[in-house]
């Protein structure tokens, strides 16, 4: 069966420090991968998605970047965190068929101080 | 532009009472609508999709194109229904799977 792992679960970082959140998927190949941010009162905002290795699409301009170095690995990064980067980040995957079903990770809560 | 509106941040009901979580959407084409749910300490997961016309855990949702709504309903709420519910929309002709989510409604079912 397919599983998705995301880490770290919780992260407290100072302003200006770098960020790396990692997500891996097991049990499937060539998944579509996504990074969402869940902010209070703002719902789920799609940040990045990827259809394959090295292929990244950004939905909103921001201080973050994403990379997909391997088929089932998706990384969210920042060189210098801002206070506004605080939030709950969710990684998700979906199969090649466009069904509308996303499978989410457990999330990473980032607090920038 | 695609938009999903969930007007209620919190909906509080007693066990056994009917529940209706509201969802309205804005989309110029043919939409596909979904409800996602996140129970306490669990992952966000798909609850149901309008295409399937299914009832999951007693919940149903009908797509009303005239009112551009996709409200989630259950005739008798249970305590285990307490969770965060998100309505989501995808265009039928969207070549790549991109869901637009609403801001979510927290359902609290009290004994």
């Amino acid at each position: 069966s397919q599983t998705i792992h995301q880490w770290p679960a919780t992260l407290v970082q100072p302003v200006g420090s770098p960020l790396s959140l990692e997500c891996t998927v097991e049990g499937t190949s060539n998944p579509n991968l996504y990074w969402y941010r869940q902010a209070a009162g703002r719902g789920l905002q799609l940040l990045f998605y990827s259809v394959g290795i090295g292929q990244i699409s950004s939905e909103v301009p921001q201080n973050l970047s994403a990379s997909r170095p391997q088929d089932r690995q998706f990384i969210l990064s920042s060189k210098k965190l801002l206070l506004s980067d605080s939030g709950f980040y969710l990684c998700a995957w979906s199969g090649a068929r466009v069904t509308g079903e996303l499978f989410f990770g457990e999330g990473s809560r980032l607090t920038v101080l | 532009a695609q938009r999903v509106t969930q007007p209620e941040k919190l909906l509080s009901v007693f066990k056994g009472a009917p529940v209706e979580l509201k969802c309205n959407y804005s989309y110029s084409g043919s939409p596909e609508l979904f409800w996602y749910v996140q129970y306490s300490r669990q992952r966000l997961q798909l609850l149901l999709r309008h295409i399937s016309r299914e009832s999951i855990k007693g919940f149903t949702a009908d797509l009303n194109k005239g009112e551009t709504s996709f409200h989630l309903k259950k005739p008798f709420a249970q305590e285990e229904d307490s969770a965060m519910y998100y309505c989501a929309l995808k265009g039928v002709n969207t070549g790549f799977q991109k869901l637009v989510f609403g801001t979510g409604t927290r359902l609290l079912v009290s004994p």
Side-chain angles (χ1 to χ4, degrees):
Chain A
S1 63
Q2 302 91 353
T3 57
I4 177 169
H5 301 284
Q6 186 179 341
W7 70 92
T10 305
L11 196 60
V12 180
Q13 293 285 101
V15 169
S17 64
L19 170 73
S20 181
L21 299 179
E22 191 162 340
C23 172
T24 59
V25 180
E26 297 176 359
T28 187
S29 58
N30 197 31
N32 297 325
L33 296 172
Y34 313 75
W35 278 110
Y36 280 88
R37 178 162 55 200
Q38 189 177 28
R42 299 184 63 181
L44 285 165
Q45 181 186 33
L46 178 63
L47 302 176
F48 301 95
Y49 66 88
S50 171
V51 299
I53 295 174
Q55 300 178 63
I56 308 295
S57 295
S58 175
E59 287 298 292
V60 293
Q62 59 207 320
N63 184 43
L64 302 168
S65 62
S67 61
R68 185 170 177 173
Q70 300 180 44
D71 181 45
R72 289 170 289 178
Q73 184 184 28
F74 205 25
I75 298 171
L76 184 68
S77 304
S78 174
K79 292 183 179 178
K80 290 185 178 181
L81 283 169
L82 305 172
L83 287 174
S84 57
D85 292 324
S86 294
F88 193 62
Y89 291 84
L90 286 167
C91 182
W93 75 273
S94 68
R97 287 186 61 218
V98 183
T99 65
E101 182 162 15
L102 298 179
F103 299 91
F104 286 89
E106 294 176 325
S108 299
R109 182 162 301 282
L110 170 66
T111 302
V112 183
L113 302 175
Chain B
Q2 299 171 212
R3 177 174 288 183
V4 176
T5 303
Q6 293 180 253
E8 303 145 325
K9 288 186 178 180
L10 172 66
L11 183 62
S12 185
V13 302
F14 288 105
K15 177 183 174 181
V19 169
E20 182 178 69
L21 297 165
K22 290 184 167 44
C23 172
N24 288 91
Y25 67 89
S26 175
Y27 184 63
S28 57
S30 294
E32 291 186 29
L33 277 297
F34 309 84
W35 277 99
Y36 277 75
V37 61
Q38 188 170 26
Y39 301 103
S40 178
R41 298 190 181 86
Q42 294 188 30
R43 304 176 186 213
L44 187 61
Q45 59 188 292
L46 179 67
L47 178 63
L48 56 79
R49 66 194 86 190
H50 92 270
I51 286 180
S52 302
R53 293 183 171 272
E54 56 201 346
S55 174
I56 303 294
K57 298 184 179 181
F59 283 99
T60 59
D62 292 319
L63 178 60
N64 187 324
K65 291 188 178 181
E67 296 182 359
T68 59
S69 67
F70 188 57
H71 303 326
L72 184 67
K73 300 177 183 178
K74 185 170 183 176
F76 307 103
Q78 302 298 316
E79 290 181 67
E80 55 266 29
D81 296 328
S82 295
M84 192 75 177
Y85 291 81
Y86 290 94
C87 184
L89 174 149
K90 184 185 82 65
V92 168
N93 295 320
T94 301
F96 185 82
Q97 184 168 294
K98 290 163 60 176
L99 293 183
V100 174
F101 287 86
T103 52
T105 298
R106 181 168 298 282
L107 175 64
L108 181 60
V109 182
S110 304

